[in-house]
Amino acid sequence: MATAAGVSGTAADSRKQAGKKLVDNLQSDLRALSNEARRKYPPVKEAAESGILKVRTAASKAEDIIPALQAASVEILHPVILGCDTKNPKIVQICLGCIQRLITHEALSVPAGVSVVKMLWNLMESGLEELKLLQTVIILLTTNSIVQGSSLATSLVMCFRLYFTKDSTTINTASAIVRQLVTLVFERVEVEDETPPPEDMDAVRVESLKTVSGKAPASLRPCAKDAFLLFQDLCQLVNADQPQWLIGMTEMTRTFGLELMESLLSRFPEVFIKHPEFSFLLKERVCPLVIKLFSPNIKHSQRLVAPPQLGALDKPYFPISVRLLRVVCILIQQYYSLLVTECEIFLSLLVRFLDPDKPPWQRALAVEVLHKLSVQPSLLKSFCQCYDMKAHSTKIFRDLVNAIGAFIQSLFMQTSLHVPTQQQSGSNASQNPAQPSVLVAGMPVGPGVTPQAAFIYRGVWLPISSNYTPGITKPQILEMLEKVDAPPVPEGYAVSVAYACLLEVVRSLSIIMDGKPEPEACKQVVDTDSEKTALNRELVSSSWCGVLAALSLLLDASTDEAATENILKSVQTYASLCGMLSLTTPRDAFITSLCKASLPPHYMLTVLNPQGGATGNSSPPFKQGHVRTNSQNMAAAVNSAYQGDGDTKNQVVVVGTSLPTASLPIGAQQGPVMLTAKNLQCMRAILSIAHCHGGVLGTSWHLILTTLQHLVWILGLKPSTGGSLKAGRVADSQAVLTTAILTDIPVLSFMLSRLFESSHSVRSVVKHRLSPE
C-alpha cells in the first residue's frame, strides 16, 4: 500500500510540475504575441494581455492546473485565434506554437478543439504555414479524441487538399498524414468496440443504408459513425461521385483513393465483419465499384483494333489495375465468408485476365494474385465447397486450375522467345546477352556460360527467375505502385510464378486431405467423414486434368534439377492423394506421366500408350495434356553432350538398347536408346512413390514394374550375389555408361533393393518383371 501511495504521489507531483511549466510557457507565448502585435494589431495585443491574466487566474484557483486550463481553454484561445486571423507569418507561427502546447498537454476542451479546427481551415485556405498546419492537425487528432464528427471531417479535408498542392514537400508530408489519420479513424473504432455498447442502441436498418447520405446509421457509436462516413465517402470519391461527409474536397485521384481503401480493408477486417453496416458497404459499395472499374480490363484485347472514338479511359490503365487487383486479393483472402457471390465474379475475372489476348502485364498481375490465393488451403477448399460442389454453380476451382495450365502452355507458344540453335552463328547469338550462343539438348552451355535454370519447350526458352519456396509469395508487378506506365514483364517471370502457383495448388490439396490444422477463422464446418470424402474427391475431380497437363509440360520442359525435383514431388503427392481416395483414373494417369518421363521420348512401350492395346491391368485412357517434344532427344547432340557440362540435366548419361518385347512391331527395337540425367531423376521418383505409397497404387503397379523393367535393361543392370542389381561388364552389356552416372548406379540399385524388401506381397512379381534373364 505504501508503495502504491508513493507512486501515486510521484505522478501527482509530476503532473503539477508539468502544469506549472505549461503556465509559464503559455504566458511567454502570449507576451511574445503581445509584443509582435503591439504596433499593427492593437486588438490582438489587448487580447493577449487579457489571456495572460486568465491563465494566471485559472492556475491560481486550482491545485490541478491542467484541468483548470482545459475548462478555460476557449477564453485562453481567443487571442491566439485573433492572431491567426491577421495572416501575419510571424504572428501565426507564435499562435500555432501556443496551440500545440495546449494540445500536447491535453488542455483543450471539445469546444476549443472545434475552434482550433476552424482556425486551421482559414489558414489552409489562405495558404499560410502549410507544414506547421499539418503538424498541428496530426497532433490534435492523435493526442486524444476530442475532435469528432464534422470537425474530424474538416481536419481530414484539410490534409487531403494540402496533398494536392504544388509543393513537393507539402505533398509528401500530407500524403503520410492522410494515411495516418485515415487509419486513426478506424483505430478509434477498435478502441470503442472494446467496451460493451449501451443497451438502448438502435437496431440496424438495412433499408436506411441504401441511400448515400452524410448522416451515419443510428445503430453505430460515435467513432464507428465517423469511420462509416469516411469509408463511404472514399467509395464515392473513387467512383467520381460527390462526398457526403468530407465536405470541401476539391480534388481526388482514384489511385490514392484505392490505396486508402486497400489499407483499411487489409488492417481492419474485424471492423468490417463485426458491424453489419460496414459489411453492407463491402457488398453494396466496394464490390460494384471494383467490377465497374475493371470494365476496361475485361473489354480490352490486344488482337482487336480499337475504334477511333474510344478514348484512353477505355483501355486498361496500369496504376488503376494494380490497385484494383490488390483490393480484390484482400476481399477474397479476408472477406470470403461475407462475399461468396461477389468472389465468384472476381475469380471468374481473374480467369479471363489470363487469356492470351490480354496485355502481358495484366496476365502477370492475375497470376500473381492466383499465387497469393493458392497458398491458402482453406480458400481453395471454400472455392470447391461453394462453387464446384453446387449443382448449378460455376466450377470455379476447376476453371482456376485449367486457366493456370492454359496460361503456362500459352507462354511456350510465343514465337518471339525462340532461342538460338547450334547452327546459328556465334556473332548473331552473342548480340542478345539473355540468350546463350550454344545449346546442348536444349540447354544453354558454352565457354564462360553458366547454364541458367529454365524451361525449354518447342524451341521456346524461358528462364526461371525465382526459386520456389513453399507457402511464400513475392509478387513483383503487384508491388509496383509507383509506376505510371505498364512495365515490361521480366523474361521468364510469368512462367516462374505460374509454376510456383501450380505447385502450391498441389501442396494445398495435400494439406486439406491430410487433415492438417487450419487457422480457426478459416475453418469450414464439415460434419461427417462422408462429407470430407466427397469434398476431397471433388477437389481431385475438378483439378486433376489441369494439374496433370501443366505438370507434364513443365516436367518435359525443365532443364533445372531443383525445378524438376519440385515437379516430381508434386506428381508423386497428387498420385498418392488419388490413390488414397481410390480414384484410379487420375492416379494411373499421373503414374503413366511419371513413367513416360523416365523413358526416352518416342520409346515404344505399349502399356504407356493410351491408344495401344494394353493388358487387363493397364490404366484407363486419360486426357493427354501435351505431346513430348525432342527437348530430351539426344540423337542430334549426343557427341557434344558427352563433352558438355556435367551439371546439365538433359545430358545423355546412358546409351543402351530397347528391351525386346513381343508386343512391339518388328524393327522397333533397332537402334540405340539414350537416357538423360533427368530420366534417371524420374526413375528415382518412381522408386520413391512405389516405396512410400505402394499400398495405394493398385493397378498402377503394372505400369511401374513394366517401366522399371525397361529402365533396368537399358541401364544394363544385372542381378548379383545377394539379390541386388549392379552394372554389368562392358563385354557382357550393350549399355554405355558415362562417368556422370557412375555415382548414381549404386543409389538406384539400393532403391531397387529397398523396394524388393518392402514389397513382400509383390516380391515374386517384382523379381520376374525386373530380371531380363
Side-chain angles (χ1 to χ4, degrees):
M1 293 293 293
T3 303
V7 172
S8 177
T10 303
D13 292 341
S14 176
R15 184 174 175 83
K16 185 179 292 186
Q17 291 297 325
K20 289 181 179 179
K21 187 175 182 180
L22 174 61
V23 169
D24 292 340
N25 288 332
L26 287 176
Q27 291 184 87
S28 176
D29 289 337
L30 291 172
R31 287 194 196 98
L33 176 61
S34 174
N35 292 332
E36 191 65 34
R38 182 176 54 208
R39 295 181 180 178
K40 292 186 177 181
Y41 309 103
V44 176
K45 172 184 176 296
E46 294 175 4
E49 292 174 349
S50 176
I52 294 173
L53 294 176
K54 290 174 182 176
V55 169
R56 288 176 181 171
T57 302
S60 62
K61 290 184 178 180
E63 185 174 344
D64 197 347
I65 297 175
I66 291 180
L69 292 175
Q70 186 184 77
S73 57
V74 174
E75 296 177 341
I76 295 172
L77 276 177
H78 178 64
V80 176
I81 293 174
L82 288 178
C84 287
D85 288 341
T86 65
K87 307 296 189 297
N88 182 287
K90 195 166 185 180
I91 292 177
V92 169
Q93 286 184 4
I94 296 172
C95 293
L96 289 177
C98 182
I99 290 172
Q100 289 182 10
R101 291 188 199 280
L102 289 168
I103 295 172
T104 53
H105 287 82
E106 298 189 55
L108 285 183
S109 63
V110 173
V114 173
S115 299
V116 169
V117 171
K118 291 179 179 178
M119 180 206 69
L120 294 175
W121 178 269
N122 292 332
L123 289 178
M124 182 270 299
E125 289 195 317
S126 301
L128 293 172
E129 294 297 329
E130 293 177 340
L131 292 178
K132 192 86 170 179
L133 186 153
L134 286 168
Q135 185 185 50
T136 306
V137 170
I138 193 68
I139 296 173
L140 177 63
L141 297 186
T142 55
T143 301
N144 51 39
S145 56
I146 62 171
V147 177
Q148 296 182 1
S150 59
S151 295
L152 176 61
T154 301
S155 302
L156 290 168
V157 171
M158 274 192 282
C159 298
F160 272 113
R161 287 180 57 167
L162 290 174
Y163 173 72
F164 291 102
T165 56
K166 296 181 179 179
D167 182 74
S168 60
T169 304
T170 303
I171 291 171
N172 293 333
T173 306
S175 172
I177 289 178
V178 166
R179 296 173 196 275
Q180 184 177 350
L181 293 183
V182 166
T183 301
L184 172 71
V185 174
F186 274 74
E187 288 175 345
R188 289 182 177 182
V189 181
E190 289 184 323
V191 174
E192 188 178 66
D193 285 344
E194 292 176 358
T195 59
E199 296 180 358
D200 59 347
M201 287 288 293
D202 292 350
V204 180
R205 293 186 297 171
V206 177
E207 290 298 323
S208 65
L209 301 176
K210 293 183 178 179
T211 303
V212 179
S213 70
K215 186 177 180 180
S219 54
L220 293 173
R221 288 188 279 180
C223 292
K225 286 182 178 180
D226 291 341
F228 178 90
L229 293 173
L230 169 62
F231 194 81
Q232 177 181 258
D233 272 6
L234 287 178
C235 295
Q236 288 286 105
L237 290 165
V238 172
N239 199 34
D241 293 327
Q242 287 297 318
Q244 301 296 316
W245 186 63
L246 297 173
I247 306 300
M249 289 284 291
T250 57
E251 192 174 357
M252 184 63 168
T253 61
R254 277 182 172 162
T255 51
F256 192 46
L258 287 171
E259 287 178 23
L260 295 175
M261 289 172 61
E262 179 206 342
S263 173
L264 295 176
L265 289 170
S266 91
R267 292 191 58 180
F268 303 100
E270 291 184 1
V271 173
F272 286 93
I273 293 172
K274 178 178 180 179
H275 297 279
E277 300 86 351
F278 286 83
S279 300
F280 176 86
L281 289 180
L282 281 183
K283 292 180 69 72
E284 302 298 328
R285 301 285 186 268
V286 176
C287 292
L289 173 62
V290 170
I291 294 170
K292 172 188 172 182
L293 295 181
F294 265 141
S295 178
N297 300 77
I298 299 169
K299 296 177 181 178
H300 181 71
S301 172
Q302 293 192 135
R303 297 176 181 174
L304 301 177
V305 179
Q309 65 268 23
L310 293 182
L313 294 178
D314 297 295
K315 295 181 180 180
Y317 182 49
F318 178 76
I320 296 292
S321 301
V322 170
R323 289 159 178 81
L324 284 175
L325 283 169
R326 289 169 67 95
V327 170
V328 164
C329 193
I330 291 169
L331 291 175
I332 297 174
Q333 288 179 313
Q334 301 195 37
Y335 301 96
Y336 180 82
S337 59
L338 288 177
L339 307 171
V340 174
T341 302
E342 292 77 9
C343 286
E344 181 179 1
I345 298 173
F346 295 146
L347 292 167
S348 298
L349 289 177
L350 287 174
V351 170
R352 294 181 61 181
F353 288 176
L354 290 176
D355 289 346
D357 62 342
K358 301 302 180 185
W361 59 264
Q362 183 173 322
R363 303 179 78 199
L365 282 172
V367 80
E368 284 183 339
V369 172
L370 290 178
H371 188 201
K372 290 172 74 71
L373 301 181
S374 65
V375 299
Q376 295 186 239
S378 58
L379 272 181
L380 300 188
K381 182 168 74 173
S382 296
F383 296 161
C384 188
Q385 286 176 322
C386 297
Y387 308 127
D388 293 65
M389 296 184 72
K390 303 297 183 183
H392 302 290
S393 180
T394 306
K395 306 299 182 184
I396 291 294
F397 180 57
R398 181 197 64 190
D399 291 348
L400 288 178
V401 175
N402 290 343
I404 295 169
F407 174 71
I408 291 172
Q409 186 173 6
S410 70
L411 295 175
F412 289 101
M413 301 304 170
Q414 302 174 27
T415 57
S416 60
L417 293 179
H418 281 294
V419 297
T421 63
Q422 286 180 291
Q423 286 73 32
Q424 285 183 294
S425 65
S427 59
N428 291 337
S430 62
Q431 291 174 1
N432 188 350
Q435 295 177 345
S437 60
V438 179
L439 293 180
V440 175
M443 280 292 296
V445 296
V449 176
T450 301
Q452 183 176 359
F455 296 108
I456 181 169
Y457 184 72
R458 292 183 176 174
V460 178
W461 182 78
L462 297 176
I464 300 175
S465 60
S466 59
N467 295 327
Y468 166 68
T469 305
I472 302 297
T473 62
K474 296 179 180 179
Q476 295 182 15
I477 313 297
L478 274 173
E479 299 299 324
M480 294 183 178
L481 296 178
E482 75 287 353
K483 298 287 186 182
V484 176
D485 298 321
V489 179
E491 186 180 29
Y493 176 73
V495 76
S496 301
V497 177
Y499 148 75
C501 186
L502 199 64
L503 299 185
E504 286 297 340
V505 169
V506 178
R507 175 177 170 273
S508 293
L509 293 185
S510 177
I511 292 174
I512 294 170
M513 297 183 198
D514 287 344
K516 294 181 181 178
E518 300 175 24
E520 192 68 29
C522 298
K523 287 185 178 178
Q524 298 287 333
V525 178
V526 180
D527 296 326
T528 65
D529 289 340
S530 61
E531 289 179 344
K532 293 180 181 178
T533 301
L535 169 64
N536 292 343
R537 291 176 73 91
E538 183 61 39
L539 284 167
V540 171
S541 176
S542 296
S543 62
W544 77 268
C545 285
V547 170
L548 175 62
L551 286 180
S552 298
L553 188 153
L554 291 176
L555 180 57
D556 187 14
S558 174
T559 62
D560 177 63
E561 181 178 5
T564 301
E565 191 63 28
N566 289 331
I567 296 167
L568 290 173
K569 286 180 180 178
S570 292
V571 172
Q572 294 174 69
T573 299
Y574 205 105
S576 66
L577 295 176
C578 296
M580 288 188 292
L581 295 171
S582 301
L583 297 173
T584 58
T585 299
R587 180 202 63 200
D588 290 358
F590 275 84
I591 296 297
T592 299
S593 176
L594 199 57
C595 292
K596 283 186 173 182
S598 67
L599 294 166
H602 313 302
Y603 190 84
M604 297 297 292
L605 190 54
T606 305
V607 73
L608 299 180
N609 183 2
Q611 298 171 348
T615 63
N617 291 331
S618 64
S619 63
F622 66 94
K623 183 178 179 180
Q624 289 182 311
H626 81 292
V627 178
R628 290 187 74 199
T629 67
N630 288 329
S631 61
Q632 295 183 15
N633 189 350
M634 304 299 116
V638 64
N639 293 329
S640 58
Y642 285 132
Q643 302 171 358
D645 189 340
D647 294 331
T648 299
K649 294 309 296 177
N650 277 349
Q651 177 189 351
V652 171
V653 293
V654 177
V655 179
T657 59
S658 301
L659 173 65
T661 305
S663 60
L664 293 180
I666 298 176
Q669 295 92 0
Q670 294 179 356
V673 292
M674 288 155 281
L675 294 178
T676 66
K678 187 200 287 188
N679 292 138
L680 299 187
Q681 195 175 359
C682 295
M683 180 181 178
R684 285 195 294 270
I686 294 172
L687 290 167
S688 175
I689 193 172
H691 176 75
C692 299
H693 304 286
V696 297
L697 294 182
T699 54
S700 293
W701 271 108
H702 179 64
L703 302 170
I704 291 174
L705 298 179
T706 302
T707 302
L708 291 176
Q709 179 189 23
H710 283 255
L711 288 170
V712 166
W713 176 271
I714 297 172
L715 289 169
L717 300 182
K718 304 289 183 181
S720 64
T721 305
S724 63
L725 297 172
K726 293 185 178 180
R729 295 177 301 172
V730 176
D732 300 331
S733 173
Q734 297 183 5
V736 179
L737 308 181
T738 67
T739 55
I741 196 182
L742 293 182
T743 57
D744 289 339
I745 292 297
V747 176
L748 293 172
S749 298
F750 176 72
M751 295 180 73
L752 285 165
S753 299
R754 286 187 61 195
L755 179 60
F756 300 157
E757 294 167 2
S758 61
S759 305
H760 298 289
S761 59
V762 292
R763 175 173 296 180
S764 60
V765 179
V766 171
K767 287 186 177 180
H768 172 70
R769 299 296 297 180
L770 294 184
S771 298
E773 292 184 353

